Amino acid sequence: MAKEKIALVTVANRGLGFETARQLAKSGITVILGSRDADKGQQAADQLRQQGLEVLAHQLSVTDIGSIKISKQLIEDQFGRLDVLINNAGIYPDASSGSILSSDIGTIRTAMETNLYGAIAMIQVMVPLMQRHNYGRIVNVSSGMGQLSDMGGGSTAYRLTKVGLNGVTRILAAELAETNIKVNSVCPGWVKTDMGGPNASRSLEEGADTIAWLAMLPDDGPSGLFWRDRAPIAW
């Protein structure tokens, strides 16, 4: 992919977001590494730049619309475009239990603010930069725990946010169907991250592979699907 392509990855200072940023930058994309903590984001960007990769850091909180709008303006001023948006920000507040019979509504609301509303806010602010050039690739990092076709119990807050995020993918893909902006959801699998823990079965490289692949789909590539290991899966 040409150097002029610009990607923004949310919460990219560590884990899956960091590895996704690395893979995209290795493919020749200029990556904006979003991070709530400016210092941690800068350290992560420096680490990738030391590998000869085109990466820069922006302080970005997906729960702060002002922060999102500032990032949009910085991107517009510096590059005049945004080609790839990876909605990677996510929290897992009820990993140990979360029965729907006892889940605290406040916990569900908190998860929604980051995992769902944050992604919607990012889309609403950033998509106009894609529409300007009729090119975009949006990847919503979801989870198999949001699959209605394989829904289980527990972790109610997290599950509901991913069901909602998958709904956003379908809605947005339909609304952008006549454009060259592709929108897809992805389940990276159980990955060795702070969220996934050390016993997870997948490496960061494996987890980020399909995310990066979807970010670089050709113009005739698919949109509005849910993916794992570069293959569509049921919703």
Side-chain angles (χ1 to χ4, degrees), residues 175-189:
E175 293 188 2
L176 296 174
E178 301 305 314
T179 74
N180 189 21
I181 302 174
K182 312 291 183 182
V183 190
N184 289 281
S185 283
V186 60
C187 169

Side-chain angles (χ1 to χ4, degrees), residues 29-197:
I29 297 173
T30 297
V31 179
I32 300 160
L33 188 153
S35 174
R36 290 188 63 168
D37 186 306
D39 290 337
K40 290 180 180 178
Q42 194 60 57
Q43 290 168 11
D46 289 344
Q47 184 178 339
L48 292 175
R49 278 198 295 269
Q50 288 169 8
Q51 300 175 26
L53 302 176
E54 291 286 338
V55 178
L56 62 154
H58 278 183
Q59 192 281 328
L60 172 63
S61 170
V62 302
T63 59
D64 181 350
I65 190 64
S67 171
I68 296 172
K69 289 181 176 179
I70 289 171
S71 288
K72 184 253 188 182
Q73 191 62 55
L74 290 170
I75 293 167
E76 189 170 24
D77 291 345
Q78 187 165 358
F79 301 106
R81 63 187 300 133
L82 181 67
D83 303 290
V84 175
L85 172 62
I86 310 294
N87 281 317
N88 173 63
I91 61 174
Y92 192 179
D94 54 354
S96 60
S97 57
S99 167
I100 199 166
L101 297 174
S102 57
S103 288
D104 179 72
I105 295 298
T107 299
I108 296 173
R109 185 176 292 116
T110 297
M112 288 285 186
E113 287 289 344
T114 297
N115 298 7
L116 180 58
Y117 306 152
I120 294 172
M122 289 294 301
I123 286 164
Q124 290 179 340
V125 173
M126 298 299 175
V127 164
L129 288 176
M130 297 177 172
Q131 290 174 314
R132 183 179 302 172
H133 300 282
N134 192 36
Y135 181 94
R137 302 292 181 263
I138 299 169
V139 184
N140 294 322
V141 180
S142 184
S143 168
M145 293 179 73
Q147 274 184 286
L148 291 175
S149 59
D150 190 30
M151 185 59 65
S155 300
T156 297
Y158 185 75
R159 289 184 186 276
L160 288 176
T161 64
K162 296 307 184 180
V163 171
L165 187 61
N166 285 347
V168 167
T169 295
R170 294 287 285 174
I171 293 167
L172 186 60
E175 293 188 2
L176 296 174
E178 301 305 314
T179 74
N180 189 21
I181 302 174
K182 312 291 183 182
V183 190
N184 289 281
S185 283
V186 60
C187 169
W190 186 23
V191 182
K192 290 183 173 69
T193 62
D194 290 347
M195 184 185 294

